[in-house]
Amino acid sequence: MYTPSTARADAAAMLAALWDGLDGNVCIMSAARQGGELTDIQHFWLPPARRDAVVAELARQTAAGREAFVSACAFAARQRRREHATHAHALWADLDQPPRMDHALPPPTLRVQTSTPDRQLWVWRLAAPIAASDAERLVRRIAAVLGADQQACDAARCLRPPGSLNTKHQPPLVARLLEHAPERVYDVAAIEAALPPEAPPANGQGQGVDWERLLDGVPEGERNRRLFEAACSLRHNNVPREAALAVVQLFAARCRPPLAASEAEAIVRSAWRYPPAQASPSLASLGSDADDAGDGGDAGDAAPRLVRLDAVVPTPLAWLWPSYLPLGKLVLLEGDPGLGKSLLALDLAARVTRGMPMPDGARGLDAPAGVVLLLAEDDLADTVRPRLDAAGADPARVVALQTAGDPTDPDRPPTTLDVEALRQAIQAVGARLLIVDPLAAFLPAKTDAHTDADVRRALAPLARLAASERVTVLAIRHLNKSTALPALYRGGGSIAFTAAARAVLLVARHPEDPTQRVLAPLKANLAPDAPALAFSITSHDGPAPRVAWGGATEYSASELLGGGTRDERPNALAAVHGALPTAPPGATPAELAAATGLAVGTVKNALLRLRALGQATQARYGRWLRPSPASPPSDASDGDASPPASVASRGEASLASLLSDGSDGDDASDDRPLAPWVQPSPSLESLSSDGDDGDGARPPPGPPQGEASLPSLTSDGDDASDDHAADPWPALLQRFRTAWLAVGHAYDGAPPPDRQRLAAAFARGQAFEQAWQRQDLPLAQATIAALEQLLPGPAPPPSTTGPNIARRRTPPARIAP
């Protein structure tokens, strides 16, 4: 019986024959096989001296059901390309059939049966290393003498070691070491003397091609070589490429089994890269026909890897926690500091190590599994271990990875690019959960967390590792400070973090009970949105805290954060407006939330909308007031629809900035200098000259509606001034056209002091367009009222301060609500 220990010893023997005496980098290639083709190819790089680590990695890949290969040459760079191969310490031959007996080659140092008994790998150990180019030349001559596979001669070739799987056969076969004679070490001159003299390949002169054999059908193991010889012969005889392709595809279809038309095309393409009289080039770029498919190496002619979906076997999605944590995926856990994200992650870790049910009672894994921790903030002795014990974890199944295992820097902490170190930690405990806390601490050096490309490069290896090891990566991230943004955009750094994750979970305070927290799904690509769950943090038999889970709650992530949501309660505006003080120092959003019983996020969103309507103003230190009746907003007759005196900070989707004069400074009055681009716009006429709304729609006309008052905003969205109109938008569109056209006619050709109001009209038009797209009725009513305030009247004096709106934005070509 071929035991794992025997396989490890045999693999070590082959690595010694190939790598002893080499320096630089050597490669392990791992791949899965679908539909007969190698897929999900991964490369691992190590110095040749670390053979023990290579043997362990080969065993892990085999245990995972993947095929594994090792490079025959050393490389100067960590790229498996022929130009990077430097030197070799052995020669090899990949036999797909019994070797020819009419040769004088000495017996090999070792022989490996790669699948069936006739398929063997022979290796000759050399007394001293030779250049990779010389090794490739000699290997090609050996292959010609023995009748071996010419595709396995490339310097970038990876060979199948003993103990590895060959999943091309079902059930899979295991490569076995048939013979090993370590005393057989040969001088390269002795090998070369046993070979016949080199001669130009006959196929380059149109000779040596067995056309009858091609018509009868070439068996597996010879297909690529013989088709390439035929293609070179056709090239030498000046046969047009299109005709040669048709001939080669005909022969490919007659092969046993048939060779794909795409591979025949690659063969012809490679043959046509060389002049007709030139000797036969490398066959490594022709594609795949041998057992070690896909590991040849002329990158200049490499064909793209295609996977036909009919060859992909559908597999059900696996879950660590159904609907919350998909297995084999990257998941983000987000929230403000101090809310218990790390403690919650350790609670989940404890459940994984014991095989306990998940917080909602759902069944997780079928059996206990391990957990890997990447921690940058909490001490293992006084924080992590006590918390795991309080949660009931099995500490023997938890491992904390603290260094990357870099021989040049032994103390360097790991990053998301240290896949090998992470893989070793995962496989050491059979982990199904990897916690990264916080994610920002383990990004590679010089990674810009606000740059999409940098973030994706940093997370891609982590996502591939999660898929290959079937482990859930739970990465913890803090929120940014932009409270007015939608919940999906609140995570710190680039949106690429959220895009790369397959699920995002949010931890926030419970809106109605400050002692409780809520875990709410924020993004779920692989399942319907799951309910949010309440939890609290309590002590358990000592100072270490633990998580006490409650039931499901009705709050969504948007409601918990309050930014950019349109789900505010109908009476939120009226409630917040009624609670606003009229005298300094005002009230903070938290105080208003306590007074109204609303969530802080809902209060903040309501305050922004009230400020846009002129019904609230922001005082110092984050406090809010009702506007003073003695100082109404500018350009307003009754003060309930004009732009406010202050504008929200950059980053907020400020309604006030949309209602201002087009700038985003602190002064919202209409007294800025005329911008050069402000000219009478043809779209002012086109919006209502023929009754068309600018994009082909002709809403029914209606009487102008009254301005929106605050009580009307608490209704179900209908205009309170027209109880008979089921849909207020047609009337609002008519009212907007009337005001827009009137402003355009009033200031067409007017001197700059009067045309200053036209600049403000553009801003109102943009704001109405935004309201139309979002179907935001209160904003539409407010922007129309502000636009009507710009009808002819005393022109405001030009301002000499403030930014020039010409440098801040460009106007729309036309307003098309």
Side-chain angles (χ1 to χ4, degrees), residues 578-640:
L580 277 173
T582 58
T588 64
E591 293 170 348
L592 292 171
T596 59
L598 300 172
V600 176
T602 302
V603 171
K604 290 179 179 179
N605 200 32
L607 287 171
L608 291 176
R609 295 182 60 126
L610 288 170
R611 182 173 65 180
L613 297 171
Q615 300 293 333
T617 184
Q618 191 170 5
R620 294 184 176 182
Y621 311 113
R623 294 181 173 272
W624 292 78
L625 291 166
R626 287 193 195 182
S628 172
S631 57
S634 61
D635 288 333
S637 58
D638 53 5
D640 66 348

Side-chain angles (χ1 to χ4, degrees), residues 199-209 211 225 228-238 271 274-281:
N203 58 50
Q205 305 299 324
Q207 302 174 358
V209 179
W211 299 101
R225 174 169 59 88
F228 182 71
E229 292 173 352
C232 287
S233 176
L234 296 170
R235 172 77 165 122
H236 173 72
N237 289 282
N238 296 319
Y274 300 90
Q278 186 171 330
S280 174

Side-chain angles (χ1 to χ4, degrees), residues 69 72 159 183 348 368 463 492 522 620 707 712 726 758 766 781 786:
F69 310 86
L159 308 176
E183 69 279 2
L348 296 176
L522 182 56
R620 294 184 176 182
E707 295 178 6
S712 71
L758 191 57
Q766 290 172 336
Q781 294 168 329

